Amino acid sequence: TPDGSESSGSARSAWIEELPSSSMRLAQWALPGPEQPVTCAFFAMGGGTAYENVSRWLGQFEGADGAPAAHSAELASQVIGGMNTSLVRVNGTFLDPGIRMDGDITRREGWALFGAIVEGPERLHFFKCTGPEDTMVLHEEELEAFVRTFGPAS
C-alpha cells in the first residue's frame, strides 16, 4: 500500500481526494487539468493475475485505426517496496465501461491510462488513473513518484 510519503517538489497537493465511487475502491483522487480531470483509484482484490488485469486494461483502449492499442502500450515490471509491480501506460480511445461495468461503453478519444499492479502477499493492489491524455502528461512525474512510495502495509 502507499506509505504516505511524498517526494520533494511533488505536485500531489493539487490532487483532490474524493469519496470512492465504489466500495471496491480504498481511495480515489481527481487530478486537475485543462479539460476534465484524470480519475485515479487505489483498490485491492484477490481475483486474477497481474497479467490478466493488465490485459483487461489494455483491452479498454483502441488505437487511432480502431485496432487494439496494446501494440503501442508501455509495459514494465519492477520491484517496488520489495514487491513485484507491473506498470502500464497506454493511450488512444478509452472504451469507458462506467463505474457499473454494465456493458454501456462511452468512447473517449485522446485519453490515457497510467496504472500499477502490486503483487502483495495475499492479494493484488491496483493504482489506476484514466483521463484526457494532456492532463495525464501534466501529472506524469507525480504519478511515477507516488507509485515509488508503495510498500508493504505496516
Side-chain angles (χ1 to χ4, degrees):
T1 60
D3 69 11
S5 65
E6 304 235 2
S7 63
S8 61
S10 172
R12 271 202 33 226
S13 61
W15 294 19
I16 301 161
E17 191 167 352
E18 298 181 327
L19 186 62
S21 59
S22 159
S23 61
M24 290 176 41
R25 294 179 176 194
L26 301 173
Q28 181 173 314
W29 301 269
L31 284 56
E35 297 177 43
Q36 74 183 80
V38 165
T39 298
C40 294
F42 184 76
F43 49 103
M45 313 185 324
T49 65
Y51 175 81
E52 289 167 336
N53 284 283
V54 166
S55 295
R56 184 174 47 78
W57 287 357
L58 294 178
Q60 293 176 331
F61 277 82
E62 289 180 346
D65 58 359
H71 65 277
S72 62
E74 295 178 41
L75 305 173
S77 294
Q78 297 179 7
V79 175
I80 298 174
M83 297 180 293
N84 292 332
T85 304
S86 300
L87 301 172
V88 181
R89 283 187 178 87
V90 65
N91 57 34
T93 299
F94 179 45
L95 307 176
D96 186 352
I99 195 67
R100 293 183 38 221
M101 306 280 239
D102 61 5
D104 292 335
I105 301 292
T106 302
R107 299 177 62 79
R108 302 187 186 280
E109 294 182 16
W111 273 41
L113 174 144
F114 173 86
I117 301 175
V118 180
E119 297 179 39
E122 296 179 17
R123 61 184 174 209
L124 299 176
H125 291 84
F126 302 85
F127 178 63
K128 181 182 178 188
C129 302
T130 54
E133 186 175 7
D134 59 349
T135 302
M136 196 75 76
V137 169
L138 290 175
H139 295 280
E140 186 172 28
E141 288 181 22
E142 66 212 58
L143 290 170
E144 291 174 3
F146 182 63
V147 167
R148 287 191 296 275
T149 70
F150 291 1
S154 49

